[in-house]
Amino acid sequence: MRVGIIGGGAAGLGAAYELTLRGHTVEVFEQAPFLGGQASTFEVGGQPLERGYHHLFRSDTAMADLMQELGLGHRLTWIDSSVGFFYDGKVWPFMSPMDLLRFKPLSLIDRFRVGLVTLYLQRRKEWKSLEQSTAAEWMRRRAGEKGYRVVFEPMLRGKFGRFYDQVSMAWLWNKFALRTTSRGKGLKGMAKEQLGYPVGSFDEVFQAAAAYVVEKGGQVHTSAAVEQVVVEDGRATGLTVRVNGGEPEQRLYDAVIATVPSYIFPKLVPSLPEEYTAKLSSATYLAAVLVVLLMDRPLSSVYWMNIADRSLPFLAIIEHTNFMPPEHYGGKHIVYLANYLDDQDPLFHKGREELFEAYLPHLKKVNPEFDVSWVEEYHYHREAAAQPVVTKGYSAQIPDVRTPISGLYLANTTQRYELQRTPGPSGGRCGG
Ligand SMILES: Cc1cc2nc3c(=O)[nH]c(=O)nc-3n(C[C@H](O)[C@H](O)[C@H](O)COP(=O)(O)OP(=O)(O)OC[C@H]3O[C@@H](n4cnc5c(N)ncnc54)[C@H](O)[C@@H]3O)c2cc1C
């Protein structure tokens, strides 16, 4: 079978690799001049680095298996993670039950309540009924108002910005229920959490997958935008593409897979039935807005810091070089200042310099010694369709992978329903 694939991110390249493995011939079109989509990289100190922080959890077996199959198993490294919570002018470690017990901003009773709720969520198996509550409602009831405000609300804001109070409890449950799997062996759930990273960045995986496809007779194009899916008699038969800014041309396929965000898909396929497009348009996305600092020294000793102080204009500080050592990047210390925003937020409209200026004074709150002279370089990245907002009853709104048009498939992040994954992300960290 000949298959046309729209998008050269993780989903497009993953599909291309799997289909090639099964003897099909694929052609991938990526509109950007590089592969990797949301997990794409830029160069820092001679090394590729993700535009937005990335790591793997132990449960991300698909990526670990893919690396193994591509001969990159030895490049996947597992590193102890560290999580902190910035609250009340202080960075509180937030990795273990003992850290919670030492977390003075909450009364002893509130600490116990938060601890018990966490334990309960880690062990609870059923999630469907949690879809009917928002995390805010549910947590207020179970963890108490103070516990919710101080611990859980910042986590929700850290991922969903102003939509924080609309997020389904089922989403938050997933972050807790499955957290133990990223912890090493030992007293269950108490051992240190480890996170994975490909030593040469995720780009190494994407390049190896693309190379495999090409070696087997497929093609992978960058700077190649798909303008339309060709549909004849209710069946997808090809793509109209524009490669390297040339004239639009038609290519014929037996099947087409699109990995584009939900709001782009109907533009490529205007003949999609209304019932299906209604599901596509119900998806609300937040943009990830990132300022990446390259510094001559560390800002903190923590990899992942949730910001629970709303006077700071960003939601998390991810210090990548407290995960992968700075020697990897020519000695530079790498800090992501992360926000999830929509276009109603004034910060969304600020450019690189403006955002840097707005953020900078707040770094002194996290580390009073911080001085602007530490920053050697800074970068700005914005990923428009970074985070679908997972609201109450979300599972009913997910568009089918198999679209109503025969031979046309959609695979994007709105369908990667976290709840159906095998064990996944950590409770303290709502990243990735
Ligand atoms: C800041 C940030 C941090 C993250 N951290 C983690 C993490 O730690 N762990 C984790 O597992 N996940 C993480 N993620 C999520 C992860 O990056 C995504 O789930 C994954 O990359 C999505 O891959 P995809 O192929 O589905 O989509 P995308 O990467 O969005 O790929 C879609 C591709 O389609 C292309 N495209 C769009 N329209 C067209 C067109 N008309 N023609 C041709 N091409 C087109 C786009 O350019 C894009 O490259 C993070 C995401 C962000 C934004």
Side-chain angles (χ1 to χ4, degrees):
M1 204 170 8
R2 279 184 54 78
V3 183
I5 298 178
I6 314 171
L13 291 170
Y17 170 78
E18 292 292 338
L19 287 166
T20 304
L21 207 60
R22 287 162 177 71
H24 303 289
T25 307
V26 303
E27 195 164 11
V28 178
F29 298 94
E30 167 53 55
Q31 67 182 7
F34 46 79
L35 295 175
Q38 295 182 47
S40 62
T41 54
F42 68 115
E43 209 181 285
V44 169
Q47 275 292 320
L49 172 77
E50 288 69 26
R51 290 182 164 79
Y53 47 86
H54 271 75
H55 53 243
L56 295 179
F57 295 100
R58 287 276 181 197
S59 54
D60 289 325
T61 49
M63 183 57 95
D65 292 349
L66 177 64
M67 288 186 68
Q68 200 66 41
E69 287 175 35
L70 290 168
L72 295 173
H74 64 290
R75 304 284 285 167
L76 179 56
T77 171
W78 291 95
I79 306 162
D80 285 350
S81 134
S82 59
V83 179
F85 220 74
F86 182 76
Y87 185 82
D88 223 5
K90 191 175 160 190
V91 182
W92 300 84
F94 229 74
M95 288 296 291
S96 69
M98 281 315 288
D99 290 337
L100 179 59
L101 282 177
R102 290 191 206 104
F103 187 60
K104 300 240 173 62
L106 288 181
S107 69
L108 203 55
I109 290 185
D110 284 331
R111 280 176 246 171
F112 272 110
R113 278 184 89 170
V114 168
L116 285 175
V117 166
T118 304
L119 274 176
Y120 168 72
L121 289 172
Q122 284 173 359
R123 279 154 186 73
R124 182 178 167 131
K125 298 274 184 287
E126 189 274 331
W127 58 268
K128 192 80 187 153
S129 61
L130 294 177
E131 269 208 313
Q132 302 318 317
S133 305
T134 64
E137 291 159 354
W138 196 96
M139 277 299 187
R140 275 200 170 97
R141 274 200 311 273
R142 305 296 179 106
E145 182 64 25
K146 188 85 196 273
Y148 164 72
R149 284 249 172 256
V150 174
V151 178
F152 300 109
E153 190 185 295
M155 280 185 197
L156 293 164
R157 283 185 186 275
K159 199 69 184 176
F160 295 99
R162 72 182 180 91
F163 293 94
Y164 75 97
D165 57 354
Q166 294 173 36
V167 175
S168 151
M169 184 56 209
W171 182 87
L172 191 57
W173 162 82
N174 176 64
K175 300 288 168 197
F176 288 92
L178 310 172
R179 72 173 298 184
T180 44
T181 52
S182 270
R183 294 172 178 262
K185 293 194 172 57
L187 196 54
K188 202 176 173 207
M190 307 286 270
K192 264 201 148 207
E193 182 181 56
Q194 291 200 314
L195 300 174
Y197 189 74
V199 180
S201 86
F202 282 90
D203 190 54
E204 205 170 65
V205 187
F206 299 137
Q207 296 301 337
Y212 176 81
V213 167
V214 172
E215 186 195 310
K216 298 288 177 191
Q219 292 183 64
V220 179
H221 309 276
T222 49
S223 303
V226 171
E227 297 194 334
Q228 198 97 81
V229 175
V230 182
V231 179
E232 284 166 338
D233 299 328
R235 181 169 184 85
T237 56
L239 294 174
T240 306
V241 299
R242 198 189 278 270
V243 180
N244 284 321
E247 288 302 309
E249 50 184 299
Q250 243 183 49
R251 314 252 172 130
L252 299 180
Y253 302 105
D254 303 305
V256 167
I257 300 175
T259 67
V260 302
S262 289
Y263 59 86
I264 292 182
F265 191 48
K267 295 182 191 156
L268 304 182
V269 201
S271 58
L272 276 169
E274 208 179 304
E275 203 184 322
Y276 194 78
T277 49
K279 283 194 170 170
L280 296 174
S281 55
S282 72
T284 305
Y285 284 98
L286 291 170
V289 176
L290 301 150
V291 171
V292 191
L293 309 178
L294 310 187
M295 310 210 302
D296 65 1
R297 68 198 81 182
L299 180 70
S300 79
S301 58
V302 174
Y303 167 54
W304 189 283
M305 197 188 301
N306 284 310
I307 303 296
D309 175 340
R310 296 199 47 214
S311 74
L312 277 72
F314 38 80
L315 301 170
I317 300 178
I318 296 108
E319 195 154 350
H320 181 76
T321 37
N322 288 337
F323 178 49
M324 284 300 282
E327 296 72 59
H328 226 74
Y329 305 96
K332 293 189 198 309
H333 293 258
I334 299 165
V335 176
Y336 294 95
L337 305 176
N339 255 326
Y340 283 89
L341 304 171
D342 67 352
D343 60 4
Q344 289 188 28
D345 194 305
L347 290 176
F348 180 93
H349 301 281
K350 287 193 191 298
R352 173 179 172 270
E353 284 79 19
E354 265 187 306
L355 212 52
F356 177 68
E357 296 296 335
Y359 285 178
L360 214 56
H362 298 277
L363 295 178
K364 260 192 180 305
K365 296 181 185 169
V366 175
N367 180 349
E369 313 255 285
F370 171 79
D371 188 83
V372 63
S373 63
W374 295 8
V375 181
E376 294 179 348
E377 215 179 298
Y378 67 96
H379 298 263
Y380 168 86
H381 301 295
R382 186 159 81 181
E383 180 53 52
Q387 178 62 49
V389 180
V390 182
T391 47
K392 288 207 270 188
Y394 183 81
S395 59
Q397 298 161 21
I398 296 176
D400 280 348
V401 169
R402 199 181 283 270
T403 75
I405 291 173
S406 171
L408 176 62
Y409 301 85
L410 174 70
N412 71 24
T413 53
T414 65
Q415 298 157 315
R416 204 197 62 172
Y417 197 23
E418 300 275 357
L419 310 177
Q420 288 164 7
R421 290 173 59 177
T422 44
S426 155
R429 183 182 323 93
C430 289

